[in-house]
Amino acid sequence: MLTTAPPTTSAVAPTAPRVVVVDDTPDLRNLLRLMLLRGGLDVVGEAADGRAGIEVVRRERPDIVLLDIAMPVMDGLEALPTLRRVVPQAKIIAMSAFGATQMAARAVAAGADGYVQKGTSLHAILAYVAELSGVEQRPARPVAVTRTHEGGRSRPVNAAPAPIDRRSSGSRDESSTLAVAHAPYGVLEVSDEPSPRVRSTNPVARRLLGGSPAVGALLSLSAPGLAHHVATHRHEADAVFDALLDAGSVRATLRRAGGSLFVYLDSTTEDVGLLRRAIATASHDLRGPIAVIDGVVEALAWGETPVPGAERDRLLQAVGRQVAELDRVTADLFTSTQVHRGTLHVDLHTFRAGALLVDLLGDHDDITVDVREDPPVVADPLRLEQMIGNLLNNARRYGAAPYAVVVRPGTGGRTVRIEVADRGPGVPVDFEPQLFREFTRAQGTVATGTGLGLYVVRTLAEAQGGTASYRRHPEGGAVFTLQLPAAP
């Protein structure tokens, strides 16, 4: 999705630096646009994924690009080399929901001029953009608010983030090394050559490799099978393959960054590693909405000029959407906990699912609700909302519009059949057996998620005497089907 920036009441100078914002969260794009315009910059375009961002940047030729790292279709790391070629003189600033991760160094190595953490105050982001791009910032009077960030440290809202300069930072800078050391998966850096040599490993990678290979040593000496795969796939943009190490089978993802190859190793058998990754992704899903809500609070209180009424209404609507997203994530986490404790409860009622879903989804322009017949169903209406919400969220993350919800009688009239369909790429065939398992996500995907959504859907369906299943759409895409008991 690509757009030209919407009109605004804020005036910008004719010579103001031109900015393109690329982020998959519309509410965050709106906040960044508001912040940049109030700081005297000209937002000339927006996009929701890396591929669309390249098109907007190619068309607008901006001076500054704010680029999210984790996006569907094409992520920021994949888009960076092309953006660098299209606008070699522009300042490209990468963004992520986490500040202390290897993503910062990877983005800088791939061509970004700097990096900011989502959740940093809007005023601090603006100050950083101005500093990095040489823009004289408009005077502003942010309110004196103190927030607590990582590690319990507090800092004022006008404390700018420390810049990362791509000319002096590499893939092994101090902050990224600390983050890689605590990553819940193996990170192995090797040289980009036919016989790769080890450059760095984190603790998880060393354990999976069965030891600590010496820096500079041939990878084939400690992991010949993995070394063969790396050499075979090293020219591919983003290869994913299975390898056998001393600790067992792993799924490896290979990505290029600067003059190195990074190999990300996920154990396919380690439950603790699975749980740690689930915690990391759940934290990401929670932090995104919190960053938007935090930004809205600051935007409403920032400066002496009040936010215009229409803009204030949009900001408050954004808060409502992000609160709903927080509610969805925490509901899934709580449901999973109830399942494990044996305390999951469903409150069965007889009602018409089609009428409920029309009322629930009728104002969503991108969703078609098709109620062919609407026989009464015996189910928990709140749990049905949770299941449909998860399926639509899954479709938006991994699929593509148009989205359709279809309600009709099941075979023999004994069930009510509810389908949620999209026209995306569908589920990878080799991942289909794991689709409804807890804490699982398809390898190689750039979309984030806890890996709980479909597990919760299946568990809730079975708790109500029904089933959940998946099939490929005959015209391309995914179809998820709920079958719930029909009223006698």
Side-chain angles (χ1 to χ4, degrees):
M1 177 188 135
L2 57 115
T3 65
T4 298
T8 177
T9 56
S10 299
V12 294
T15 58
R18 305 168 78 251
V19 186
V20 165
V21 179
V22 186
D23 192 285
D24 63 336
T25 304
D27 289 333
L28 186 56
R29 291 202 307 271
N30 183 54
L31 272 172
L32 291 170
R33 177 176 56 83
L34 177 64
M35 174 267 295
L36 293 165
L37 289 168
R38 295 180 80 176
L41 289 85
D42 186 10
V43 180
V44 296
E46 301 176 8
D49 63 76
R51 184 176 300 162
I54 291 171
E55 294 181 40
V56 176
V57 168
R58 197 186 305 275
R59 184 184 71 221
E60 299 293 343
R61 303 285 171 168
D63 305 297
I64 302 166
V65 180
L66 286 180
L67 179 69
D68 188 20
I69 288 179
M71 294 180 291
V73 183
M74 177 187 285
D75 67 20
L77 291 176
E78 293 174 288
L80 257 169
T82 302
L83 291 173
R84 191 80 274 166
R85 290 193 297 270
V86 171
V87 283
Q89 304 304 318
K91 296 296 183 181
I92 302 177
I93 301 173
M95 303 181 296
S96 175
F98 292 100
T101 70
Q102 79 283 0
M103 288 296 185
R106 290 178 61 196
V108 171
D113 294 280
Y115 173 91
V116 294
Q117 175 187 336
K118 290 183 180 179
T120 302
S121 77
L122 296 178
H123 184 70
I125 294 175
L126 178 59
Y128 181 40
V129 170
E131 178 185 350
L132 200 63
S133 57
V135 177
E136 184 177 349
Q137 189 179 350
R138 277 184 184 172
R141 285 183 154 182
V143 293
V145 178
T146 299
R147 301 196 183 101
T148 301
H149 291 265
E150 293 94 344
R153 297 186 300 274
S154 296
R155 57 180 172 82
V157 298
N158 60 351
I164 298 176
D165 189 337
R166 69 186 178 97
R167 293 166 299 181
S168 60
S169 294
S171 58
R172 297 182 294 278
D173 80 330
E174 183 178 352
S175 62
S176 67
T177 300
L178 178 64
V180 168
H182 292 89
Y185 42 80
V187 182
L188 170 66
E189 183 186 3
V190 299
S191 59
D192 183 7
E193 53 187 328
S195 297
R197 294 180 178 273
V198 176
R199 288 185 171 174
S200 67
T201 55
N202 75 339
V204 176
R206 290 194 288 273
R207 181 174 50 73
L208 293 173
L209 292 169
S212 301
V215 173
L218 290 170
L219 179 61
S220 58
L221 296 177
S222 54
L226 180 62
H228 171 73
H229 283 300
V230 171
T232 301
H233 295 285
R234 72 188 185 93
H235 293 300
E236 298 177 23
D238 193 359
V240 180
F241 51 85
D242 293 319
L244 187 63
L245 302 179
D246 287 356
S249 176
V250 298
R251 177 61 60 88
T253 301
L254 181 65
R255 285 188 172 176
R256 185 184 304 275
S260 294
L261 298 174
F262 281 85
V263 187
Y264 298 88
L265 305 172
D266 266 341
S267 170
T268 58
T269 58
E270 185 187 324
D271 290 339
V272 173
L274 194 65
L275 180 59
R276 291 175 66 190
R277 290 191 295 278
I279 292 171
T281 52
S283 299
H284 184 282
D285 275 13
L286 292 170
R287 187 160 191 170
I290 290 171
V292 172
I293 294 170
D294 197 31
V296 169
V297 171
E298 181 184 354
L300 291 174
W302 185 26
E304 298 177 344
T305 304
V307 176
E311 188 66 61
R312 184 177 64 250
D313 291 343
R314 282 194 290 270
L315 292 176
L316 294 177
Q317 290 167 6
V319 170
R321 285 189 292 268
Q322 298 307 317
V323 168
E325 177 66 9
L326 287 173
D327 182 64
R328 184 193 63 77
V329 174
T330 54
D332 283 353
L333 292 170
F334 184 57
T335 299
S336 179
T337 301
Q338 289 177 312
V339 171
H340 287 286
R341 289 180 176 177
T343 59
L344 180 64
H345 174 73
V346 293
D347 188 11
L348 300 180
H349 295 270
T350 300
F351 62 97
R352 297 190 183 275
L356 182 147
L357 295 176
V358 167
D359 183 59
L360 181 67
L361 305 172
D363 59 348
H364 290 254
D365 295 335
D366 60 340
I367 302 172
T368 299
V369 182
D370 181 2
V371 182
R372 300 176 186 179
E373 291 185 46
D374 196 12
V377 66
V378 179
D380 184 329
L382 293 179
R383 295 297 192 180
L384 178 59
E385 287 188 29
Q386 185 179 358
M387 290 189 290
I388 296 298
N390 280 5
L391 292 176
L392 287 170
N393 181 69
N394 188 74
R396 288 190 172 107
R397 282 182 185 273
Y398 304 104
Y403 310 108
V405 178
V406 179
V407 180
R408 64 186 181 196
T411 305
R414 295 185 298 274
T415 65
V416 175
R417 185 182 182 94
I418 306 170
E419 295 182 344
V420 176
D422 71 79
R423 294 299 180 85
V427 176
V429 174
D430 60 349
F431 185 69
E432 287 183 20
Q434 308 173 57
L435 192 57
F436 292 97
R437 288 178 54 192
E438 189 177 24
F439 296 135
T440 56
R441 291 170 51 235
Q443 295 287 340
T445 179
V446 298
T448 59
T450 61
L452 281 174
L454 294 179
Y455 166 78
V456 165
V457 168
R458 187 201 66 183
T459 303
L460 289 177
E462 293 176 351
Q464 297 171 82
T467 61
S469 61
Y470 162 81
R471 64 181 172 86
R472 287 187 168 272
H473 195 290
E475 299 177 13
V479 180
F480 287 89
T481 303
L482 297 175
Q483 298 230 47
L484 297 172

